[in-house]
Amino acid sequence: MSKIGFIGLGIMGRPMAGHLLDAGHQIVSVEHGKPIPQELADKGATVAANPKAVAEQAEVIITMVPDTPDVELVLFGEGGVIEGLKPGTLVIDMSSIAPIATQDFAKRIHDAGGEYVDAPVSGGEGGAINAALTIMVGATAEGFERALPILEVMGKTITHIGDHGAGQTCKVANQIVVALTIEAVAEGLLFASKAGADVAKVRESLLGGLAQSKILDVHGERMIKRTFDPGFKIKLHQKDLNLALEGARSLKLSLPGTANAQQLFQACAAHGGDDWDHAGILRALEQLADHEIGS
């Protein structure tokens, strides 16, 4: 069992750290202005003053924070991980951040004597709670081999995509597909509702055909029940689509569907929906249609 520094105990990180504790690992974290969750403290998780102090105690560091600047601050800012990094420490970033920055972070950790793995996840809060995350890994072969037993505690589908940054590239692709599929589900249910059909029965029927998807199942139900408390916040999906669109510009690639989904998320944000679940994209479409599904 390992002593793991886990930095980022939010919606996703909290259950992920809980699974590691249940598996017998030790967890040390930082407070980020508020105490660590009581359920983790009850299982033995401890607190260090800053990421440097976490690194001084841990054999493995996991970061699960919102964006690229957050990872950079935790790893390389004042009192950051790199100041306390011991030779051979495994650093696993499970955040969703920019692939090019990830390659730079990996080099800096390697130059300081550590091993870096980018391992972003998909599956949302439910996947984190059920230890059923899909984990996309960018690493050396040695880094992947070292990280795999830890990742297996938190996820079910774990794929070594390639070298550093490849995991993050895969996650950006995932977020493109997820955003466009959520939009497609919202448009389909909105069309059915506006035409006078029972949207619950429409969804039930579609789940038995070629349109079946986990998003139709999970987010379609959210839309019908209008439960937009976040499993994954719109503002975080906006961040991921920004990464996609910035990458597309550098690749001279057109992603028109992605750009359209980003504009719909922006419409939600303009109406105070930054913290809605990303299924809330439906609300932007409803405003355009002057119709609420089920009404």
Side-chain angles (χ1 to χ4, degrees):
M1 296 295 106
S2 301
K3 187 159 190 178
I4 298 173
F6 201 114
I7 302 173
L9 300 175
I11 290 174
M12 300 288 289
R14 178 187 302 184
M16 292 162 68
H19 294 309
L20 292 169
L21 285 163
D22 291 340
H25 296 287
Q26 299 176 60
I27 294 290
V28 58
S29 189
V30 291
E31 289 193 336
H32 285 301
K34 60 181 180 180
I36 63 171
Q38 189 60 47
E39 67 265 29
L40 300 183
D42 289 344
K43 292 179 180 181
T46 59
V47 176
N50 54 31
K52 174 187 175 182
V54 169
E56 289 171 341
Q57 298 181 43
E59 307 158 59
V60 178
I61 308 289
I62 295 176
T63 51
M64 187 60 172
V65 294
D67 203 349
T68 308
D70 302 300
V71 176
E72 185 169 24
L73 181 64
V74 165
L75 295 181
F76 308 111
E78 183 178 354
V81 164
I82 200 162
E83 295 181 9
L85 193 73
K86 301 189 297 291
T89 299
L90 178 63
V91 178
I92 307 173
D93 178 37
M94 304 190 76
S95 321
S96 296
I97 67 169
I100 293 174
T102 291
Q103 292 170 357
D104 175 62
F105 296 168
K107 183 179 185 304
R108 292 165 73 179
I109 291 295
H110 179 268
D111 289 347
E115 180 78 50
Y116 192 91
V117 172
D118 53 289
V121 305
S122 181
E125 183 182 12
I129 290 170
N130 295 313
L133 292 167
T134 294
I135 306 177
M136 313 155 210
V137 183
T140 64
E142 179 184 354
F144 179 70
E145 184 177 351
R146 287 184 62 191
L148 185 58
I150 293 169
L151 300 178
E152 286 176 331
V153 176
M154 299 176 282
K156 283 189 175 177
T157 303
I158 302 163
T159 306
H160 186 192
I161 305 297
D163 207 349
H164 299 123
Q168 296 294 354
T169 296
C170 184
K171 179 58 188 289
V172 171
N174 178 84
Q175 295 303 81
I176 293 170
V177 173
V178 169
L180 270 62
T181 307
I182 292 175
E183 181 187 351
V185 169
E187 289 191 14
L189 295 181
L190 181 62
F191 170 81
S193 177
K194 183 74 172 182
D198 183 326
V199 288
K201 290 182 178 178
V202 168
R203 171 179 165 275
E204 181 182 351
S205 179
L206 294 179
L207 284 170
L210 190 59
Q212 191 277 335
S213 71
K214 187 172 184 178
I215 288 172
L216 177 61
D217 184 10
V218 175
H219 293 307
E221 183 177 34
R222 278 182 178 271
M223 292 172 190
I224 291 168
K225 292 183 176 179
R226 311 197 69 75
T227 53
F228 298 119
D229 292 337
F232 188 74
K233 295 178 181 180
I234 279 176
K235 65 183 178 185
L236 295 179
H237 210 145
Q238 284 186 287
K239 176 262 298 182
D240 292 339
L241 295 191
N242 281 337
L243 295 176
L245 294 169
E246 289 165 7
R249 280 191 291 273
S250 68
L251 294 167
K252 295 182 169 50
L253 177 67
S254 176
L255 299 177
T258 303
N260 185 60
Q262 182 72 307
Q263 286 300 307
L264 290 169
F265 281 140
Q266 184 58 33
C268 293
H271 287 85
D274 297 77
D275 290 332
W276 296 344
D277 184 83
H278 51 176
I281 200 170
L282 171 70
R283 290 182 168 183
L285 293 166
E286 288 176 332
Q287 288 172 345
L288 290 170
D290 193 27
H291 177 82
E292 187 176 292
I293 67 168
S295 63

